[in-house]
Amino acid sequence: MADNVKDRSIISLSWPLIITFGIGVFQPMMDSWFLSRTSESAAAGVGALMPILGTIFMAIQAFSQAGASIASQFMGANSSSHARSTISMVLVGSLLLGVAMTLLVFPSSKWIVHALGLDGDTAKFGIQFLQIVCFGFVFRALQTTLTAMIATHGLTIWNLIGNSITIALNIGLNIIFLNGIFGIPKMHVEGVALATALSWAFSSGILWLVLRFKVHHKTKKVDIKRSRVVLGDWIRIGLPAAAEPVSFQLFQVFITAMVVHLGTLAVTARVFSANFAMFAIILGVGLGNGNQILVAHLVGAHDYQKANRRTFQSLIASSSLGFLVALIVALFGPHLMSFYTNNPEVIELGSACLWCDVILQPFKSANVILTGSLRAAGDSKFPAIFGSLMMWTLGAGTALFLAFVLDLGLIGLWLGMASDEFYRSCANLWRWKSGRWKNATVV
Protein backbone atom coordinates (compact mmCIF):
# COMPACT_ATOMS: atom_id res chain seq x y z
CA MET A 1 0.00 0.00 0.00
CA ALA A 2 2.84 2.42 0.83
CA ASP A 3 4.33 2.17 -2.64
CA ASN A 4 0.93 2.63 -4.22
CA VAL A 5 0.16 5.73 -2.14
CA LYS A 6 3.42 7.62 -2.70
CA ASP A 7 3.23 6.99 -6.45
CA ARG A 8 -0.34 8.23 -6.82
CA SER A 9 -1.29 11.63 -8.20
CA ILE A 10 -2.38 14.45 -5.92
CA ILE A 11 -5.75 14.61 -7.69
CA SER A 12 -6.56 10.91 -7.23
CA LEU A 13 -5.98 11.23 -3.49
CA SER A 14 -7.48 14.68 -3.03
CA TRP A 15 -10.77 14.72 -4.92
CA PRO A 16 -12.62 12.54 -2.39
CA LEU A 17 -11.04 14.61 0.41
CA ILE A 18 -12.25 17.82 -1.25
CA ILE A 19 -15.83 16.56 -1.35
CA THR A 20 -15.56 15.08 2.15
CA PHE A 21 -14.40 18.42 3.56
CA GLY A 22 -17.14 20.14 1.57
CA ILE A 23 -19.67 17.92 3.29
CA GLY A 24 -18.16 18.88 6.65
CA VAL A 25 -18.49 22.57 5.72
CA PHE A 26 -22.06 22.01 4.61
CA GLN A 27 -23.14 20.68 8.02
CA PRO A 28 -22.81 23.96 10.01
CA MET A 29 -24.27 25.83 7.04
CA MET A 30 -27.22 23.47 7.09
CA ASP A 31 -27.60 23.90 10.85
CA SER A 32 -27.58 27.69 10.42
CA TRP A 33 -30.23 27.41 7.73
CA PHE A 34 -32.52 25.23 9.85
CA LEU A 35 -32.14 27.61 12.79
CA SER A 36 -32.60 30.74 10.68
CA ARG A 37 -36.00 29.44 9.56
CA THR A 38 -37.25 29.98 13.11
CA SER A 39 -34.98 32.60 14.68
CA GLU A 40 -32.03 34.71 13.53
CA SER A 41 -31.00 34.96 17.20
CA ALA A 42 -30.69 31.17 17.37
CA ALA A 43 -28.63 31.09 14.18
CA ALA A 44 -26.38 33.92 15.42
CA GLY A 45 -25.96 32.38 18.90
CA VAL A 46 -24.99 28.96 17.58
CA GLY A 47 -22.90 30.47 14.79
CA ALA A 48 -20.91 32.54 17.28
CA LEU A 49 -19.86 29.26 18.95
CA MET A 50 -18.18 27.96 15.80
CA PRO A 51 -14.73 29.33 16.72
CA ILE A 52 -14.98 27.58 20.11
CA LEU A 53 -16.03 24.31 18.52
CA GLY A 54 -13.41 24.86 15.83
CA THR A 55 -10.71 25.16 18.51
CA ILE A 56 -11.71 21.80 19.97
CA PHE A 57 -12.02 20.07 16.60
CA MET A 58 -8.76 21.49 15.26
CA ALA A 59 -6.87 20.24 18.34
CA ILE A 60 -8.29 16.76 17.80
CA GLN A 61 -7.59 16.91 14.07
CA ALA A 62 -4.00 18.07 14.59
CA PHE A 63 -3.22 15.15 16.89
CA SER A 64 -4.92 12.76 14.47
CA GLN A 65 -3.02 14.06 11.46
CA ALA A 66 0.25 14.03 13.38
CA GLY A 67 -0.35 10.34 14.11
CA ALA A 68 -1.35 9.75 10.49
CA SER A 69 1.85 11.42 9.28
CA ILE A 70 3.95 9.19 11.53
CA ALA A 71 2.08 6.11 10.29
CA SER A 72 2.58 7.29 6.69
CA GLN A 73 6.31 7.73 7.22
CA PHE A 74 6.53 4.18 8.57
CA MET A 75 4.50 2.93 5.61
CA GLY A 76 6.79 4.80 3.23
CA ALA A 77 9.74 3.10 4.95
CA ASN A 78 7.97 -0.30 4.67
CA SER A 79 7.70 -0.67 8.47
CA SER A 80 4.13 -1.99 8.71
CA SER A 81 4.32 -3.12 12.35
CA HIS A 82 5.24 0.37 13.57
CA ALA A 83 2.53 1.86 11.34
CA ARG A 84 -0.07 -0.48 12.87
CA SER A 85 1.05 0.37 16.41
CA THR A 86 0.82 4.08 15.63
CA ILE A 87 -2.76 3.72 14.35
CA SER A 88 -3.82 1.81 17.49
CA MET A 89 -2.16 4.40 19.74
CA VAL A 90 -3.86 7.35 18.04
CA LEU A 91 -7.29 5.69 18.13
CA VAL A 92 -7.08 5.14 21.89
CA GLY A 93 -5.65 8.63 22.39
CA SER A 94 -8.46 10.29 20.41
CA LEU A 95 -11.06 8.42 22.43
CA LEU A 96 -9.58 9.74 25.67
CA LEU A 97 -9.22 13.24 24.21
CA GLY A 98 -12.90 13.30 23.22
CA VAL A 99 -13.97 12.31 26.72
CA ALA A 100 -11.71 14.97 28.24
CA MET A 101 -13.19 17.66 25.98
CA THR A 102 -16.73 16.76 27.07
CA LEU A 103 -15.80 16.87 30.74
CA LEU A 104 -14.20 20.28 30.19
CA VAL A 105 -16.88 21.95 28.06
CA PHE A 106 -20.15 20.81 29.68
CA PRO A 107 -19.64 22.47 33.08
CA SER A 108 -18.08 25.53 31.38
CA SER A 109 -20.76 26.07 28.72
CA LYS A 110 -22.42 29.09 30.34
CA TRP A 111 -19.08 30.75 31.04
CA ILE A 112 -17.91 30.15 27.44
CA VAL A 113 -21.04 31.72 25.93
CA HIS A 114 -20.95 34.77 28.19
CA ALA A 115 -17.19 35.17 27.66
CA LEU A 116 -17.96 35.67 23.98
CA GLY A 117 -20.12 38.65 24.97
CA LEU A 118 -23.43 37.03 24.03
CA ASP A 119 -26.54 37.88 26.02
CA GLY A 120 -30.32 37.54 25.93
CA ASP A 121 -31.82 34.99 23.56
CA THR A 122 -28.56 34.68 21.62
CA ALA A 123 -26.77 33.50 24.77
CA LYS A 124 -29.64 31.20 25.80
CA PHE A 125 -29.65 29.42 22.44
CA GLY A 126 -25.85 29.13 22.45
CA ILE A 127 -25.83 27.48 25.88
CA GLN A 128 -28.57 25.03 24.89
CA PHE A 129 -26.66 23.96 21.81
CA LEU A 130 -23.28 23.59 23.54
CA GLN A 131 -24.61 21.57 26.49
CA ILE A 132 -26.04 18.93 24.16
CA VAL A 133 -23.53 18.79 21.32
CA CYS A 134 -20.56 18.37 23.71
CA PHE A 135 -21.70 14.81 24.46
CA GLY A 136 -20.89 13.96 20.85
CA PHE A 137 -17.24 15.08 21.11
CA VAL A 138 -15.96 11.54 21.71
CA PHE A 139 -17.58 10.43 18.44
CA ARG A 140 -16.29 13.50 16.62
CA ALA A 141 -12.79 12.63 17.86
CA LEU A 142 -13.11 9.06 16.63
CA GLN A 143 -14.57 10.23 13.32
CA THR A 144 -11.65 12.60 12.77
CA THR A 145 -9.02 10.01 13.64
CA LEU A 146 -10.60 7.24 11.61
CA THR A 147 -10.84 9.58 8.61
CA ALA A 148 -7.12 10.43 8.89
CA MET A 149 -6.04 6.81 9.25
CA ILE A 150 -8.14 5.59 6.34
CA ALA A 151 -6.85 8.44 4.18
CA THR A 152 -3.22 7.63 4.96
CA HIS A 153 -3.80 4.22 3.35
CA GLY A 154 -5.01 5.99 0.20
CA LEU A 155 -8.65 4.86 0.65
CA THR A 156 -10.03 8.39 0.56
CA ILE A 157 -13.10 7.33 -1.44
CA TRP A 158 -14.37 5.41 1.60
CA ASN A 159 -14.18 8.55 3.72
CA LEU A 160 -16.35 10.24 1.12
CA ILE A 161 -18.92 7.44 1.15
CA GLY A 162 -19.10 7.32 4.95
CA ASN A 163 -19.45 11.08 5.36
CA SER A 164 -22.03 11.34 2.55
CA ILE A 165 -24.26 8.84 4.32
CA THR A 166 -23.79 10.72 7.57
CA ILE A 167 -24.79 14.15 6.24
CA ALA A 168 -27.94 12.61 4.75
CA LEU A 169 -28.76 11.24 8.21
CA ASN A 170 -28.08 14.65 9.75
CA ILE A 171 -30.53 16.34 7.39
CA GLY A 172 -33.17 13.72 8.13
CA LEU A 173 -32.73 14.02 11.89
CA ASN A 174 -32.94 17.83 11.72
CA ILE A 175 -36.25 17.59 9.88
CA ILE A 176 -37.60 15.00 12.34
CA PHE A 177 -36.54 16.83 15.52
CA LEU A 178 -37.49 20.34 14.40
CA ASN A 179 -40.92 19.29 13.12
CA GLY A 180 -41.74 16.65 15.73
CA ILE A 181 -42.25 13.82 13.23
CA PHE A 182 -42.92 10.21 14.34
CA GLY A 183 -44.37 11.34 17.65
CA ILE A 184 -41.06 12.86 18.81
CA PRO A 185 -41.55 16.10 20.80
CA LYS A 186 -40.90 19.16 18.64
CA MET A 187 -37.48 20.63 19.41
CA HIS A 188 -35.60 23.77 18.39
CA VAL A 189 -31.89 24.37 19.08
CA GLU A 190 -31.79 21.16 21.12
CA GLY A 191 -32.92 19.19 18.05
CA VAL A 192 -30.17 20.61 15.84
CA ALA A 193 -27.53 19.82 18.49
CA LEU A 194 -28.84 16.28 19.01
CA ALA A 195 -28.93 15.63 15.25
CA THR A 196 -25.30 16.76 14.97
CA ALA A 197 -24.10 14.56 17.85
CA LEU A 198 -25.97 11.49 16.58
CA SER A 199 -24.57 11.97 13.06
CA TRP A 200 -21.03 11.98 14.48
CA ALA A 201 -21.75 8.73 16.30
CA PHE A 202 -23.11 7.12 13.14
CA SER A 203 -20.16 8.34 11.07
CA SER A 204 -17.58 6.97 13.51
CA GLY A 205 -19.34 3.59 13.37
CA ILE A 206 -19.22 3.47 9.56
CA LEU A 207 -15.58 4.57 9.38
CA TRP A 208 -14.57 2.01 12.03
CA LEU A 209 -16.04 -0.71 9.81
CA VAL A 210 -14.00 0.62 6.88
CA LEU A 211 -10.79 0.59 8.94
CA ARG A 212 -11.53 -2.90 10.21
CA PHE A 213 -12.61 -4.62 7.00
CA LYS A 214 -11.01 -2.57 4.17
CA VAL A 215 -7.74 -1.57 5.82
CA HIS A 216 -7.81 -4.82 7.85
CA HIS A 217 -6.65 -3.05 10.99
CA LYS A 218 -7.32 -4.64 14.36
CA THR A 219 -6.12 -3.06 17.58
CA LYS A 220 -4.18 -5.57 19.67
CA LYS A 221 -2.67 -5.35 23.14
CA VAL A 222 0.80 -5.84 21.70
CA ASP A 223 0.28 -2.78 19.48
CA ILE A 224 -0.60 -0.63 22.48
CA LYS A 225 2.51 -1.84 24.31
CA ARG A 226 4.69 -1.30 21.24
CA SER A 227 3.23 2.17 20.70
CA ARG A 228 5.45 3.46 23.50
CA VAL A 229 8.24 3.42 20.92
CA VAL A 230 6.53 6.09 18.83
CA LEU A 231 4.66 7.90 21.63
CA GLY A 232 7.51 10.39 22.01
CA ASP A 233 7.40 11.30 18.31
CA TRP A 234 3.60 11.65 18.43
CA ILE A 235 3.86 14.07 21.33
CA ARG A 236 6.82 15.90 19.71
CA ILE A 237 4.88 16.41 16.48
CA GLY A 238 1.33 16.41 17.84
CA LEU A 239 1.61 19.06 20.54
CA PRO A 240 3.05 21.78 18.26
CA ALA A 241 0.75 20.60 15.45
CA ALA A 242 -2.22 21.19 17.76
CA ALA A 243 -0.86 24.47 19.13
CA GLU A 244 -0.90 26.35 15.81
CA PRO A 245 -4.50 25.58 14.74
CA VAL A 246 -5.72 26.02 18.33
CA SER A 247 -3.98 29.39 18.41
CA PHE A 248 -5.67 30.21 15.10
CA GLN A 249 -9.09 29.23 16.42
CA LEU A 250 -8.53 31.26 19.59
CA PHE A 251 -7.62 34.13 17.29
CA GLN A 252 -11.00 33.59 15.64
CA VAL A 253 -12.61 33.69 19.10
CA PHE A 254 -10.85 37.02 19.66
CA ILE A 255 -12.13 38.29 16.31
CA THR A 256 -15.62 37.05 17.20
CA ALA A 257 -15.49 38.96 20.49
CA MET A 258 -14.54 42.09 18.56
CA VAL A 259 -17.42 41.46 16.15
CA VAL A 260 -19.83 41.07 19.09
CA HIS A 261 -18.56 44.44 20.32
CA LEU A 262 -19.67 45.92 16.99
CA GLY A 263 -23.27 44.76 17.49
CA THR A 264 -25.87 42.20 16.41
CA LEU A 265 -25.81 43.34 12.78
CA ALA A 266 -22.07 42.61 12.52
CA VAL A 267 -22.45 39.24 14.30
CA THR A 268 -25.24 38.10 11.98
CA ALA A 269 -23.46 39.31 8.83
CA ARG A 270 -20.23 37.59 9.84
CA VAL A 271 -21.90 34.26 10.68
CA PHE A 272 -23.76 34.12 7.37
CA SER A 273 -20.90 35.38 5.17
CA ALA A 274 -18.36 33.12 6.91
CA ASN A 275 -20.44 30.10 5.94
CA PHE A 276 -20.14 31.00 2.25
CA ALA A 277 -16.48 32.01 2.60
CA MET A 278 -15.77 28.38 3.50
CA PHE A 279 -16.51 27.38 -0.10
CA ALA A 280 -13.22 28.94 -1.17
CA ILE A 281 -11.09 26.91 1.23
CA ILE A 282 -12.67 23.54 0.44
CA LEU A 283 -10.35 22.89 -2.51
CA GLY A 284 -7.32 24.11 -0.58
CA VAL A 285 -7.97 21.88 2.42
CA GLY A 286 -8.69 18.86 0.22
CA LEU A 287 -5.51 19.38 -1.78
CA GLY A 288 -3.61 20.10 1.42
CA ASN A 289 -4.70 16.85 3.03
CA GLY A 290 -3.86 14.88 -0.09
CA ASN A 291 -0.48 16.59 -0.34
CA GLN A 292 0.21 15.89 3.35
CA ILE A 293 -0.40 12.17 2.82
CA LEU A 294 1.93 12.09 -0.19
CA VAL A 295 4.67 14.14 1.48
CA ALA A 296 4.63 11.92 4.59
CA HIS A 297 4.99 8.76 2.48
CA LEU A 298 7.74 10.35 0.37
CA VAL A 299 9.61 11.61 3.43
CA GLY A 300 9.42 8.12 4.92
CA ALA A 301 10.99 6.82 1.71
CA HIS A 302 13.59 9.66 1.88
CA ASP A 303 12.53 10.97 -1.54
CA TYR A 304 12.91 14.62 -0.54
CA GLN A 305 13.14 15.97 -4.07
CA LYS A 306 9.76 14.56 -5.04
CA ALA A 307 8.23 15.72 -1.75
CA ASN A 308 9.44 19.26 -2.51
CA ARG A 309 8.05 19.11 -6.05
CA ARG A 310 4.67 17.84 -4.87
CA THR A 311 4.43 20.64 -2.31
CA PHE A 312 5.04 23.44 -4.80
CA GLN A 313 2.63 21.91 -7.33
CA SER A 314 -0.06 21.79 -4.65
CA LEU A 315 0.81 25.31 -3.48
CA ILE A 316 0.26 26.86 -6.91
CA ALA A 317 -2.92 24.91 -7.59
CA SER A 318 -4.42 25.56 -4.16
CA SER A 319 -3.78 29.32 -4.08
CA SER A 320 -5.08 29.81 -7.63
CA LEU A 321 -8.25 27.82 -7.01
CA GLY A 322 -8.82 29.54 -3.65
CA PHE A 323 -8.73 32.94 -5.35
CA LEU A 324 -11.01 31.84 -8.19
CA VAL A 325 -13.67 30.29 -5.95
CA ALA A 326 -13.62 33.28 -3.56
CA LEU A 327 -14.12 35.60 -6.54
CA ILE A 328 -17.11 33.61 -7.78
CA VAL A 329 -18.65 33.57 -4.29
CA ALA A 330 -18.18 37.34 -3.95
CA LEU A 331 -19.81 37.99 -7.33
CA PHE A 332 -22.91 36.11 -6.18
CA GLY A 333 -22.68 37.44 -2.63
CA PRO A 334 -26.04 39.27 -2.39
CA HIS A 335 -27.92 36.29 -3.81
CA LEU A 336 -26.17 33.88 -1.46
CA MET A 337 -26.79 36.06 1.60
CA SER A 338 -30.49 36.22 0.76
CA PHE A 339 -30.55 32.45 1.25
CA TYR A 340 -30.33 33.16 5.01
CA THR A 341 -32.00 36.55 5.42
CA ASN A 342 -33.96 39.31 3.69
CA ASN A 343 -32.50 42.05 5.92
CA PRO A 344 -30.86 44.49 3.44
CA GLU A 345 -28.27 45.69 5.97
CA VAL A 346 -27.11 42.15 6.71
CA ILE A 347 -26.98 41.34 2.99
CA GLU A 348 -24.95 44.47 2.18
CA LEU A 349 -22.42 44.03 4.99
CA GLY A 350 -22.07 40.27 4.44
CA SER A 351 -21.53 40.75 0.70
CA ALA A 352 -18.78 43.31 1.38
CA CYS A 353 -17.07 40.77 3.67
CA LEU A 354 -17.07 38.22 0.85
CA TRP A 355 -15.11 40.67 -1.32
CA CYS A 356 -12.55 41.00 1.47
CA ASP A 357 -12.34 37.22 1.44
CA VAL A 358 -11.08 37.32 -2.16
CA ILE A 359 -7.90 38.90 -0.76
CA LEU A 360 -7.67 36.42 2.12
CA GLN A 361 -8.17 33.07 0.42
CA PRO A 362 -4.98 32.69 -1.74
CA PHE A 363 -2.79 33.16 1.34
CA LYS A 364 -4.98 30.92 3.48
CA SER A 365 -4.71 28.17 0.85
CA ALA A 366 -0.94 28.61 0.79
CA ASN A 367 -0.80 28.21 4.58
CA VAL A 368 -2.83 25.01 4.44
CA ILE A 369 -0.39 23.45 1.97
CA LEU A 370 2.84 24.66 3.58
CA THR A 371 1.83 23.92 7.16
CA GLY A 372 0.59 20.48 6.15
CA SER A 373 3.87 19.68 4.39
CA LEU A 374 5.93 20.82 7.37
CA ARG A 375 3.83 18.67 9.72
CA ALA A 376 4.05 15.70 7.37
CA ALA A 377 7.84 15.92 7.59
CA GLY A 378 7.71 16.22 11.39
CA ASP A 379 8.63 19.92 11.45
CA SER A 380 5.55 21.17 13.31
CA LYS A 381 7.32 23.45 15.82
CA PHE A 382 8.05 26.27 13.37
CA PRO A 383 4.45 26.99 12.24
CA ALA A 384 3.30 26.55 15.85
CA ILE A 385 5.76 28.97 17.44
CA PHE A 386 6.36 31.56 14.75
CA GLY A 387 2.85 31.28 13.32
CA SER A 388 1.26 31.95 16.70
CA LEU A 389 3.62 34.84 17.47
CA MET A 390 2.90 36.54 14.15
CA MET A 391 -0.82 35.91 14.53
CA TRP A 392 -1.11 37.59 17.92
CA THR A 393 1.21 40.47 17.14
CA LEU A 394 1.14 41.48 13.48
CA GLY A 395 -2.22 39.86 12.67
CA ALA A 396 -4.14 41.06 15.74
CA GLY A 397 -2.52 44.48 15.59
CA THR A 398 -3.46 44.98 11.94
CA ALA A 399 -7.05 43.82 12.56
CA LEU A 400 -7.55 46.18 15.52
CA PHE A 401 -5.95 49.11 13.68
CA LEU A 402 -8.15 48.69 10.62
CA ALA A 403 -11.35 48.02 12.57
CA PHE A 404 -11.17 50.60 15.34
CA VAL A 405 -8.50 53.18 14.46
CA LEU A 406 -9.50 53.55 10.80
CA ASP A 407 -13.11 52.77 11.85
CA LEU A 408 -13.66 50.11 9.17
CA GLY A 409 -15.56 47.87 11.58
CA LEU A 410 -16.26 44.33 10.40
CA ILE A 411 -14.53 45.02 7.08
CA GLY A 412 -11.37 46.00 8.94
CA LEU A 413 -11.43 42.83 11.04
CA TRP A 414 -11.78 40.70 7.89
CA LEU A 415 -8.90 42.50 6.17
CA GLY A 416 -6.88 42.03 9.36
CA MET A 417 -7.44 38.28 9.10
CA ALA A 418 -6.22 38.46 5.50
CA SER A 419 -3.04 40.22 6.60
CA ASP A 420 -2.43 37.50 9.20
CA GLU A 421 -2.63 34.79 6.52
CA PHE A 422 -0.20 36.78 4.36
CA TYR A 423 2.40 37.18 7.14
CA ARG A 424 2.31 33.51 8.10
CA SER A 425 2.36 32.19 4.52
CA CYS A 426 5.55 34.16 3.85
CA ALA A 427 7.19 32.70 6.98
CA ASN A 428 6.11 29.13 6.22
CA LEU A 429 7.34 29.42 2.62
CA TRP A 430 10.75 30.56 3.86
CA ARG A 431 10.91 27.62 6.27
CA TRP A 432 10.03 25.05 3.61
CA LYS A 433 12.53 26.45 1.12
CA SER A 434 15.26 26.36 3.78
CA GLY A 435 15.04 22.54 3.80
CA ARG A 436 15.40 22.27 7.59
CA TRP A 437 12.34 20.01 7.71
CA LYS A 438 14.53 17.17 6.39
CA ASN A 439 16.11 16.88 9.85
CA ALA A 440 12.78 16.46 11.68
CA THR A 441 11.59 13.17 10.20
CA VAL A 442 10.64 10.11 12.29
CA VAL A 443 12.36 7.46 10.14
Side-chain angles (χ1 to χ4, degrees), residues 45 48-53 55-56 101-102 104-118 123 126-127 130-131 134 137 253 256-257:
L49 292 173
M50 289 304 111
I52 297 293
L53 295 176
T55 301
I56 295 170
M101 292 297 184
T102 299
L104 177 65
V105 170
F106 181 77
S108 308
S109 56
K110 292 183 180 179
W111 179 85
I112 291 171
V113 169
H114 292 302
L116 288 172
L118 302 177
I127 293 169
L130 196 57
Q131 287 184 335
C134 70
F137 286 171
V253 173
T256 298

Side-chain angles (χ1 to χ4, degrees), residues 243-361:
E244 193 270 339
V246 166
S247 179
F248 174 78
Q249 289 298 331
L250 290 175
F251 182 68
Q252 295 302 303
V253 173
F254 166 75
I255 294 293
T256 298
M258 295 301 100
V259 174
V260 170
H261 180 73
L262 294 172
T264 304
L265 172 63
V267 172
T268 306
R270 182 177 188 252
V271 169
F272 292 160
S273 56
N275 283 336
F276 293 113
M278 287 300 294
F279 281 129
I281 199 58
I282 289 173
L283 291 172
V285 170
L287 288 170
N289 288 342
N291 177 72
Q292 185 169 336
I293 294 168
L294 284 173
V295 169
H297 278 269
L298 290 166
V299 166
H302 295 266
D303 192 348
Y304 300 133
Q305 185 177 3
K306 191 172 183 179
N308 184 65
R309 186 169 67 251
R310 291 286 197 183
T311 294
F312 278 101
Q313 289 172 346
S314 300
L315 177 64
I316 294 171
S318 181
S319 295
S320 301
L321 290 171
F323 172 79
L324 181 61
V325 174
L327 180 62
I328 294 172
V329 169
L331 288 170
F332 290 94
H335 301 287
L336 294 172
M337 291 295 296
S338 64
F339 181 73
Y340 283 125
T341 180
N342 55 10
N343 185 327
E345 290 183 301
V346 174
I347 292 174
E348 181 181 3
L349 183 57
S351 299
C353 288
L354 291 176
W355 279 107
C356 296
D357 204 60
V358 176
I359 302 172
L360 181 149
Q361 287 300 337

Side-chain angles (χ1 to χ4, degrees), residues 195-273:
T196 299
L198 289 175
S199 69
W200 290 339
F202 187 76
S203 177
S204 61
I206 291 178
L207 294 173
W208 180 84
L209 292 173
V210 173
L211 186 72
R212 177 69 183 86
F213 295 105
K214 290 298 295 183
V215 178
H216 304 293
H217 175 81
K218 186 176 181 180
T219 299
K220 302 176 182 178
K221 288 184 179 180
V222 66
D223 291 329
I224 301 299
K225 293 178 180 179
R226 192 188 295 136
S227 67
R228 288 178 293 182
V229 177
V230 294
L231 180 60
D233 285 315
W234 189 37
I235 294 173
R236 174 179 67 84
I237 298 172
L239 280 178
E244 193 270 339
V246 166
S247 179
F248 174 78
Q249 289 298 331
L250 290 175
F251 182 68
Q252 295 302 303
V253 173
F254 166 75
I255 294 293
T256 298
M258 295 301 100
V259 174
V260 170
H261 180 73
L262 294 172
T264 304
L265 172 63
V267 172
T268 306
R270 182 177 188 252
V271 169
F272 292 160
S273 56

Side-chain angles (χ1 to χ4, degrees), residues 5 8-25 61 65 143-144 146-161 163-164 207 281-294 369:
V5 171
R8 286 176 59 179
S9 70
I10 185 69
I11 297 300
S12 69
L13 274 175
S14 296
W15 76 262
L17 295 172
I18 291 170
I19 301 175
T20 300
F21 181 72
I23 291 171
V25 169
Q61 184 178 21
Q65 290 187 339
Q143 177 196 41
T144 302
L146 288 163
T147 297
M149 296 308 167
I150 292 168
T152 204
H153 285 81
L155 301 176
T156 51
I157 187 67
W158 285 98
N159 286 333
L160 172 58
I161 293 171
N163 283 279
S164 297
L207 294 173
I281 199 58
I282 289 173
L283 291 172
V285 170
L287 288 170
N289 288 342
N291 177 72
Q292 185 169 336
I293 294 168
L294 284 173
I369 297 295

